[in-house]
Amino acid sequence: MARGSWATRTGFILAAAGSAVGLGNIWGFPTRVGQGGGAAFVAIYLGCILLICLPIMVGEFAIGRRTQLSPVRSFALLRPGTRWWVVGAVGVLAGGGILSFYCVIAGWTVAYAWFALTGRLAGEQLAAGAFFADFTSNGAASVGLALLVLVATAGVLLGGVRGGIERVTKAMMPVLVALLVLLAARAATLPGAAEGLAYYLRPDPSSLLDASVYNAALGQAFFSLSLGMGTMLTYGSYLSRQTGIAGAALWIVLLDTAIALLAGFIIFPAGFSLSGFDPGSSGPGLIFAVLPRLFATLPGGGLFGTAFFVLLALAALTSAISLMEVPVAHFIDAHGWSRTRAVITVTLGVFALAIPSALGNGAVPLLTSVPGVGMDFLTLMATAWNDFALPVGGFLTAVFIGWAWRVDRALEELVREQAWFPAPRAWGFLVRWVCPAAIGAIIVWTFASFI
Ligand code: PHE
């Protein structure tokens, strides 16, 4: 496939937003707010977005647009003869690792769209997440659904990516936002909603001193914005010189954050309206247990449920595509493979790794007995890749820009064609000092409190 470029600035913003907006916003964010104790997590998350992730996103776009190459080769091109290409390689691994659990959850959303359509989400059997537990105890179904998602992703990648992504995202994004606003409005009027809102918006100061909350918020911010693994770098490599980077990055971050926050405004009020709801103990099943109960309170709830889960599955697909694109582009660019060979190999490798995540808790007794790793395989994967691999990738990217490629050369790329760039010196300071120091401190602190 010839190296194309985005048709328009809006097309680029939508495609990058299509990568960013996905399960991370609607499944991951509420789950992690629940595990992280509520509003303290939200506050730290917003800090990470603004001070760490936005500057790094701008940097990834700059590297990509400058080199017009996939991650491993772009680091090698800007600093030839060094080991900086390793940063790109971390991204190639992270792309496969994240996709291996991502496709499992995406598979669940496909199943739930079907359940909503056929009326199986209505009625009594939904009590307290029992339906979800029952559904996921069928390992074969989760494995099959994960494979379905991977095959769909591979199909899009084989067919040529960009036209498809731009079109799907353009149609999907406004409908998704409208539906989320509507659901948030409904959730706010349920009994018990106020308690949910307080949990979501009023920080508990004790969580502000917990390293694991910072680590989870940082990892979630990277994951939600598709940063730290070369996805945005790759998308930037399809960018034309006429498109201003700073403005585009700001739009993408705003849209992604707004959608995550909206998801919280749905899940917590709706969750607290249920008796015996504990946001901390629901784990990956949180939204699957809460949302069907919310749909049941709406007239025509089955239709809302279907529309919601179809949109969520599509949002997951546009993100899955961008996850798979990184390893695929790497094998094509750096090893001269054909696109077909790259897509098939990556799909099979990711599927093998997806099986233990799909089989769930009981399948990995070894891991549940290791102290500190007493979690299911899917959560283990999400933690390892999101909370460690991505922030480390972001750390290295910031160090690379600040100290190896250097801020003035990056800025030259960023202000090309008189592009709007509001605070070049502040950006340089953030990338050179604040990002590495903050990420480094959070990771070291997390390890220290482990031991
Ligand atoms: N940002 C995507 C989401 O929130 C997931 C993703 C992570 C995609 C990293 C690409 C790279 O669902």
Side-chain angles (χ1 to χ4, degrees), residues 18-26 95 98 102 220 222-227 229 231-232 256 315-316 318-320 322-323 326 386 390:
S19 165
V21 174
L23 298 172
N25 307 62
I26 291 164
I98 292 175
Y102 205 85
Q220 176 61 26
F222 272 96
F223 177 62
S224 191
L225 291 171
S226 308
L227 288 178
M229 57 156 279
T231 298
M232 290 305 182
D256 187 76
T318 55
S319 301
S322 73
L323 280 163
V326 173
N386 300 5
L390 296 185

Side-chain angles (χ1 to χ4, degrees), residues 120-128 130-131 293:
R120 287 189 48 206
L121 290 187
E124 304 306 309
Q125 75 272 41
L126 284 174
F131 182 85
R293 308 278 292 261

Side-chain angles (χ1 to χ4, degrees), residues 215 218-219 222 228 385-396 439 443:
N215 184 226
L218 180 70
F222 272 96
W385 295 110
N386 300 5
D387 295 1
F388 295 101
L390 296 185
V392 167
F395 173 89
L396 293 172
I439 300 171
I443 302 262

Side-chain angles (χ1 to χ4, degrees), residues 339-353:
R339 179 159 271 267
T340 312
R341 179 176 171 200
V343 169
I344 292 176
T345 309
V346 172
T347 304
L348 290 177
V350 170
F351 178 59
L353 193 58

Side-chain angles (χ1 to χ4, degrees), residues 3-410:
R3 251 196 115 71
S5 58
W6 307 106
T8 60
R9 174 180 135 96
T10 319
F12 165 68
I13 292 177
L14 281 172
S19 165
V21 174
L23 298 172
N25 307 62
I26 291 164
W27 165 79
F29 181 74
T31 304
R32 280 163 155 238
V33 173
Q35 289 164 342
F41 178 95
V42 180
I44 299 168
Y45 176 82
L46 292 176
C48 291
I49 293 277
L50 210 65
L51 295 177
I52 301 173
C53 290
L54 179 61
I56 290 181
M57 180 183 285
V58 168
E60 279 201 26
F61 284 153
I63 298 174
R65 191 175 69 178
R66 173 54 159 260
T67 61
Q68 312 268 304
L69 287 171
S70 63
V72 173
R73 288 191 58 213
S74 51
F75 284 100
L77 179 81
L78 291 176
R79 282 279 139 251
T82 65
R83 286 187 200 281
W84 278 106
W85 59 267
V86 170
V87 189
V90 172
V92 171
L93 291 177
I98 292 175
L99 189 56
S100 78
F101 72 84
Y102 205 85
C103 65
V104 174
I105 304 151
W108 295 342
T109 69
V110 173
Y112 267 63
W114 176 249
F115 295 152
L117 186 69
T118 53
R120 287 189 48 206
L121 290 187
E124 304 306 309
Q125 75 272 41
L126 284 174
F131 182 85
F132 177 76
D134 194 38
F135 160 62
T136 47
S137 69
N138 179 354
S142 289
V143 172
L145 287 161
L147 182 62
L148 179 80
V149 171
L150 286 177
V151 168
T153 309
V156 176
L157 279 189
L158 282 177
V161 200
R162 291 186 282 289
I165 302 186
E166 284 193 40
R167 232 174 306 121
V168 172
T169 317
K170 204 177 215 152
M172 176 187 78
M173 218 54 99
V175 189
L176 181 66
V177 173
L179 196 58
L180 291 174
V181 170
L182 199 117
L183 291 173
R186 173 62 187 132
T189 57
L190 291 171
E195 205 191 325
L197 287 175
Y199 173 82
Y200 185 43
L201 299 176
R202 204 175 308 137
D204 160 14
S206 73
S207 326
L208 288 173
L209 295 172
D210 183 348
S212 69
V213 176
Y214 284 82
N215 184 226
L218 180 70
Q220 176 61 26
F222 272 96
F223 177 62
S224 191
L225 291 171
S226 308
L227 288 178
M229 57 156 279
T231 298
M232 290 305 182
L233 192 159
T234 306
Y235 276 25
S237 76
Y238 304 132
L239 198 53
S240 81
R241 297 254 133 86
Q242 280 73 42
T243 307
I245 287 178
L250 211 54
W251 271 112
I252 296 158
V253 168
L254 275 176
L255 191 65
D256 187 76
T257 307
I259 291 180
L261 291 175
L262 260 177
F265 277 107
I266 298 169
I267 296 293
F268 295 107
F272 276 85
S273 78
L274 306 171
S275 58
F277 173 71
D278 173 9
S281 68
S282 311
L286 177 66
I287 71 162
F288 296 97
V290 171
L291 285 174
R293 308 278 292 261
L294 174 62
F295 298 137
T297 70
L298 286 161
L303 279 182
F304 277 111
T306 311
F308 178 86
F309 284 113
V310 167
L311 285 168
L312 187 53
L314 283 175
L317 183 67
T318 55
S319 301
I321 290 165
S322 73
L323 280 163
M324 197 187 269
E325 172 76 2
V326 173
V328 164
H330 170 70
F331 287 120
I332 297 173
D333 263 14
H335 298 281
W337 290 14
S338 72
R339 179 159 271 267
T340 312
R341 179 176 171 200
V343 169
I344 292 176
T345 309
V346 172
T347 304
L348 290 177
V350 170
F351 178 59
L353 193 58
I355 293 173
S357 286
L359 291 180
N361 220 346
V364 265
L366 244 182
L367 286 171
T368 34
S369 59
V370 180
V373 195
M375 46 174 84
D376 56 280
F377 190 77
L378 192 154
T379 307
L380 177 72
M381 283 311 230
T383 309
W385 295 110
N386 300 5
D387 295 1
F388 295 101
L390 296 185
V392 167
F395 173 89
L396 293 172
T397 306
V399 172
F400 176 80
I401 296 169
W403 303 90
W405 188 29
R406 304 196 74 97
V407 169
D408 42 345
R409 283 191 219 120

